[in-house]
Amino acid sequence: QYYVSVWSAHRLVKEYGITLEQWAEMAESQGFVCAICRNPPTGKGARAVLNVDHDHTTGKVRQLLCDKCNRLLGCAMENLDVLRAAIQYLEKHG
């Protein structure tokens, strides 16, 4: 369903320890949507593909995320307190 370059397939193994087949199984098990927002990825190029999300401390692969949700976690430094504060902020100003 998604085009993945040879370079991307190599990167999956090198950076995340998963094969293209494992990525495809993950994507299929998620219905080809982001594990957070439940939308298919949008954009062009790399932004149109579900990204491998992983714990930056342990390296453990979690699930697949769209570019926006992947950036959301990164910008929040994967800090639950920051994410909770953002939710409280939105609720306050909702």
Side-chain angles (χ1 to χ4, degrees):
Q1 186 159 0
Y2 295 105
Y3 170 77
V4 178
S5 69
V6 172
W7 179 85
S8 296
H10 174 74
R11 184 173 176 229
L12 287 173
V13 174
K14 184 177 179 181
E15 292 190 24
Y16 307 112
I18 65 170
T19 65
L20 180 57
E21 291 77 19
Q22 290 169 312
W23 176 91
E25 287 173 8
M26 290 174 69
E28 185 174 358
S29 73
Q30 290 180 208
F32 297 97
V33 297
C34 172
I36 293 177
C37 70
R38 309 303 300 159
N39 290 310
T42 59
K44 296 183 182 202
R47 290 192 170 108
V49 178
L50 290 167
N51 298 286
V52 177
D53 177 48
H54 66 288
D55 183 307
H56 287 100
T57 303
T58 67
K60 181 182 177 191
V61 170
R62 294 187 281 223
Q63 287 186 277
L64 303 177
L65 304 177
C66 70
D67 187 63
K68 289 179 182 178
C69 289
N70 194 37
R71 289 174 185 269
L72 169 74
L73 294 184
C75 289
M77 301 160 287
E78 297 186 15
N79 183 316
L80 294 176
D81 291 332
V82 170
L83 293 167
R84 286 184 190 106
I87 290 168
Q88 289 173 348
Y89 175 85
L90 290 173
E91 289 174 341
K92 178 181 177 180
H93 297 284

